[in-house]
Amino acid sequence: MSRRLLLGGLAAATPVVALGMQGPDSPLSAYNDAAAMRTLRLWTQLGPVIAHYRLVELKHKLVTLPKDERNKEWESLDAVHSHTVLDTLQGLRGFYIKVGQLMAHRNDVLSIAYIEKLRGLEDRVPPLMNGDQARQVVKTSLGLESLEDVFANFQDEPLGSASIGQVHKATLKSTGKPVAIKIQSPGAEALFRKDIQTARNFCRIFIPEQVILFDEIEKQFISEFDYTIEAKHLNTMHQNMTPEYGNLVVVPRSFPQLCSREVLTMEFLKGKKLVDGVREMGREWCIRNGTTLEAYEREMREKFEREGLPPVYQGPGARVLDMYRSYVQVSDWVVNAPRVVYNWSVGWVLPNSWLVPYHKSFVPLNTARIMDTLLKVHGKQVLIDGFLNGDPHPGNFLLLEDGRLGMLDMGQIKILTREERLFMARLYKALVNEDRTELKRLSIEGGYVSKYNDPEVMFRMARVGFDQDGRQVTDGLNLQQFVDKMYKQDPWEKTLDALVMPMRVSLLIRGVGLMLHHPVSVAQAWKPIAEKALKEAEIEERS
C-alpha cells in the first residue's frame, strides 16, 4: 500500500494518540484536568480516529479498489482527522508536543495534511502564560523582590512557546547583555507524568510493539522539568563542543545564579530558526521558478508517496557548494559595481525612475555544510563524549548571522557509560559493514529479546532505527508498516534502554536531512568517529 496512513504516523509516534481538547476560556485549564477525564478523552476522541483508519485499512485488504480511489479515501480521512489530532496536541502540550515535533518532518510516515499542521508545533504553540504570569513565575522562583532589580527590558511577548513552557527576552541589568529566559508553565510536570502513563496504557492495546520504548522515554523526558539540570547541561555541552567545533556551532551558556527548577537564564543567540531559514530560501526559489512553496512541498511529498523516500544524498559536497555560493556572490558584485557608480552619480540627480535596479542571484543554503555539521557534532556527542542531546529537532537549531549554527534546548541530555558508548560504536561499525552476525551478537549482548532471534530482522530494524531511510531500506513501506512487518516476522519483547535516545537522535537528524532534501546515512557519517572511539579505547586498555 503506497499511501501513507495516519495510522502509521500515530503508531510510530507512540503517544501522539492520547488526548483531550482543552476549553479555550482558561489557558491553564489543561493542568487542572483530572487524570480520569483525560483518559476518558483519550478513548472518546482519538480512539475513534485510529479505529477509523484501521477499518479503512481492513477494507482495502478485503476489497480490491483502484489505486486512485484508495488514495482519495485516505486523503479524505486525513482532511477530516488532521485537525482533531493537531488540536489535541496543542491542547495537551507537554509530552504530546514532543511527539508532534518528532513527527513533523517524517515525510515517510505522515501525509501532507499532517506534516503541514505539525510543523507549527516547533515554536508556534499558543503560550499558556501572559506576560504578567511569566514575570510572576520568574520573580517567585528566583526569590526576587522585584524583577527590575535583575532584568531590564523584560519582553512580555514570548520569543517562542513549545512543549512545557515559553521563552522571553530580557537584558541583564548588571552587564547590559541580552539573555533568553526559559520559563516553565505551572503544573506541567504533573500533567506530563499522567499523560505518559495514559499513553503507555493506550499503546498496550493499539500498538504493543511500541511499549518497550516507554521506560527510557519517560526517564529522559521527566528529567527535563528541572531547569537547574539543563543549566548545567548547557555549560557542559558548551565545553564539549567549543574546542573542536566552535567555528561551526554555538551552545549558549547559562547563568546558574539566575536559574531555578522553573527558570533558566542563558545567553541570547541572534538568528533565525533553521526551519524558517529553509522555508524562506524555498519560497524565494519557488517565486523565481513560477510556483509557490506550498505547491512545491505538496508536489515533493506526493512524489515521496509514489516513489518512496530518495536514497542517500550523492550531490556536491560542502566545499563545492561553498565555492558556488562565493562565485554567485562575486558575480553579483561584478554585475552591480557599474550600477552602483551610475546610481550614485548620474542616477542621483535624475528622477528615481531612472535608477538601475541591482541584480540579486539566488544563493542557496549550503545544506551539505549544515548536515555535515549536525552529523559531526552529534556523532561526537554519542560516540566520543557519551553526553548527547536527545532532542535535536529543526526548531532547536538557529542560523546565526556569522554562519554558524546555534544549538538550543539541552533538557533531554542522555549520559552514556563508557561501555554503552563503545557498544554504540561497535553497532555502527557493524551497520556500515552489514555484518549481521556481529549485529546479532551485539543485540543479544545488549539485552534484546525476541521470539526467534532472527538476524535479518535485527539488522533491518537497526538500520531503520540508527542509520537511514528510503524505500530500499523499508521495502517501499512507510515506517510503521515496515515495523509491523518485522514484528510479525520476529516479535520482540525487550531492548536496551540506552539505545532509545541515540536512536531518537538518528531519527531527528535524518528528519532534518529530509527537510533539506539531503537524506543521509548516519552510519556512514559516523564510521570514522566510531573507529576513533574504538581505537582510543584499545589504546587505553593496553596502557
Side-chain angles (χ1 to χ4, degrees):
M1 185 181 301
S2 61
R3 180 71 173 92
R4 290 191 179 86
L5 312 182
L6 165 66
L7 173 63
L10 291 179
T14 58
V16 169
V17 291
L19 318 146
M21 265 299 290
Q22 304 307 318
D25 295 333
S26 171
L28 295 176
S29 62
Y31 296 121
N32 299 322
D33 272 5
M37 288 300 295
R38 295 177 66 80
T39 302
L40 177 63
R41 286 175 175 146
L42 167 65
W43 299 100
T44 58
Q45 293 205 17
L46 289 196
V49 171
I50 292 186
H52 197 174
Y53 278 92
R54 286 289 190 189
L55 287 173
V56 172
E57 184 181 33
L58 178 61
K59 172 187 171 181
H60 288 180
K61 288 180 180 179
L62 298 176
V63 180
T64 302
L65 295 174
K67 181 178 178 180
D68 288 346
E69 289 188 25
R70 295 200 308 269
N71 286 346
K72 286 181 181 178
E73 195 161 6
W74 291 126
E75 289 171 359
S76 177
L77 286 182
D78 291 349
V80 170
H81 293 309
S82 59
H83 295 284
T84 300
V85 173
L86 178 66
D87 288 344
T88 296
L89 296 181
Q90 286 185 327
L92 289 170
R93 308 179 72 88
F95 189 43
Y96 307 100
I97 296 293
K98 291 292 184 186
V99 175
Q101 291 169 344
L102 173 63
M103 303 308 298
H105 296 278
R106 296 303 306 185
N107 294 356
D108 54 328
V109 174
L110 294 182
S111 68
I112 295 170
Y114 285 92
I115 292 290
E116 290 175 346
K117 291 178 175 61
L118 291 179
R119 280 185 173 178
L121 297 176
E122 289 177 337
D123 61 357
R124 296 193 298 273
V125 180
L128 280 178
M129 296 178 287
N130 59 35
D132 289 338
Q133 291 169 328
R135 287 169 178 266
Q136 187 59 44
V137 172
V138 174
K139 180 180 173 181
T140 302
S141 188
L142 296 182
L144 303 176
E145 291 187 6
S146 171
L147 201 66
E148 288 69 26
D149 290 342
V150 177
F151 300 107
N153 303 321
F154 183 96
Q155 296 183 1
D156 287 340
E157 186 71 22
L159 297 172
S161 178
S163 55
I164 64 173
Q166 54 203 59
V167 179
H168 291 254
K169 185 180 179 182
T171 302
L172 283 182
K173 192 171 182 180
S174 58
T175 64
K177 291 184 177 181
V179 292
I181 308 175
K182 187 174 178 180
I183 307 168
Q184 188 176 139
S185 302
E189 182 175 358
L191 180 62
F192 210 93
R193 290 181 181 274
K194 293 174 182 177
D195 285 341
I196 287 182
Q197 187 57 46
T198 300
R200 187 199 303 267
N201 293 336
F202 192 87
C203 289
R204 283 197 176 101
I205 294 176
F206 282 98
I207 38 178
E209 70 273 14
Q210 302 286 349
V211 173
I212 62 173
L213 304 177
F214 267 90
D215 288 343
E216 179 64 13
I217 289 174
E218 180 175 8
K219 182 167 60 178
Q220 285 301 131
F221 280 176
I222 289 302
S223 67
E224 193 171 355
F225 289 93
D226 188 344
Y227 285 174
T228 61
I229 296 176
E230 183 176 354
K232 295 176 183 177
H233 287 166
L234 274 170
N235 292 340
T236 300
M237 188 66 76
H238 179 90
Q239 294 168 4
N240 288 350
M241 294 291 103
T242 302
E244 188 170 354
Y245 295 120
N247 62 322
L248 298 174
V249 299
V250 179
V251 180
R253 289 169 293 190
S254 69
F255 298 87
Q257 71 277 16
L258 296 175
C259 296
S260 67
R261 187 175 179 84
E262 297 84 16
V263 175
L264 170 59
T265 306
M266 70 193 99
E267 294 173 328
F268 174 78
L269 300 184
K270 188 175 182 180
K272 65 181 65 173
K273 292 287 180 73
L274 172 60
V275 64
D276 293 335
V278 170
R279 291 182 68 79
E280 286 179 15
M281 179 194 72
R283 187 167 283 108
E284 180 184 347
W285 183 91
C286 288
I287 291 172
R288 289 171 179 265
N289 286 272
T291 185
T292 65
L293 179 62
E294 291 72 23
Y296 175 74
E297 288 181 332
R298 184 174 297 275
E299 177 185 344
M300 292 304 298
R301 292 194 192 104
E302 289 174 349
K303 180 180 179 181
F304 290 160
E305 290 177 359
R306 290 193 310 270
E307 304 174 7
L309 291 177
V312 172
Y313 176 80
Q314 298 293 334
R319 290 184 179 180
V320 173
L321 288 178
D322 273 340
M323 292 173 61
Y324 173 74
R325 284 166 52 85
S326 298
Y327 167 77
V328 171
Q329 291 166 344
V330 170
S331 297
D332 277 3
W333 184 86
V334 171
V335 170
N336 288 323
R339 302 184 186 197
V340 171
V341 173
Y342 172 83
N343 286 340
W344 285 91
S345 57
V346 178
W348 188 75
V349 298
L350 295 175
N352 287 340
S353 60
W354 287 56
L355 293 176
V356 179
Y358 296 113
H359 176 73
K360 184 178 185 300
S361 299
F362 175 72
V363 182
L365 286 174
N366 191 334
T367 56
R369 175 74 65 196
I370 292 171
M371 289 310 300
D372 285 354
T373 297
L374 293 179
L375 287 165
K376 285 177 182 177
V377 298
H378 289 90
K380 181 177 186 294
Q381 290 175 23
V382 174
L383 302 176
I384 302 298
D385 301 331
F387 188 89
L388 60 108
N389 175 23
D391 197 23
H393 68 76
N396 282 339
F397 298 115
L398 295 179
L399 295 171
L400 303 182
E401 294 180 338
D402 62 8
R404 293 182 293 176
L405 288 178
M407 299 173 62
L408 307 176
D409 196 346
M410 299 297 158
Q412 290 183 40
I413 290 292
K414 173 68 177 178
I415 301 176
L416 302 177
T417 65
R418 180 179 183 275
E419 290 72 22
E420 290 168 344
R421 179 171 58 81
L422 295 178
F423 179 91
M424 291 301 306
R426 295 186 183 97
L427 183 147
Y428 272 104
K429 184 177 179 180
L431 278 173
V432 171
N433 296 332
E434 298 189 5
D435 189 340
R436 288 159 172 78
T437 301
E438 173 65 2
L439 197 60
K440 178 179 179 179
R441 185 191 69 78
L442 288 169
S443 299
I444 295 173
E445 175 188 317
Y448 179 88
V449 176
S450 67
K451 189 172 183 179
Y452 305 115
N453 283 336
D454 186 329
E456 186 63 21
V457 171
M458 292 179 183
F459 173 76
R460 300 189 72 186
M461 285 299 295
R463 197 176 187 191
V464 165
F466 296 97
D467 182 20
Q468 60 181 281
D469 306 291
R471 67 180 306 165
Q472 76 282 2
V473 178
T474 62
D475 298 334
L477 302 173
N478 74 44
L479 182 59
Q480 184 57 36
Q481 290 172 331
F482 176 76
V483 171
D484 287 343
K485 178 181 177 181
M486 293 295 99
Y487 189 71
K488 289 177 182 178
Q489 189 170 329
D490 185 13
W492 49 83
E493 302 172 8
K494 185 180 178 183
T495 189
L496 183 64
D497 285 348
L499 299 182
V500 174
M501 296 312 285
M503 179 174 66
R504 187 168 190 267
V505 169
S506 174
L507 288 169
L508 285 168
I509 294 299
R510 283 147 52 191
V512 176
L514 292 175
M515 179 187 73
L516 296 175
H517 298 293
H518 191 112
V520 297
S521 166
V522 176
Q524 288 290 345
W526 287 5
K527 177 184 177 183
I529 306 174
E531 291 174 343
K532 176 184 177 182
L534 293 172
K535 185 176 181 180
E536 289 178 350
E538 184 179 346
I539 293 173
E540 288 177 7
E541 291 170 0
R542 288 178 179 175
S543 60

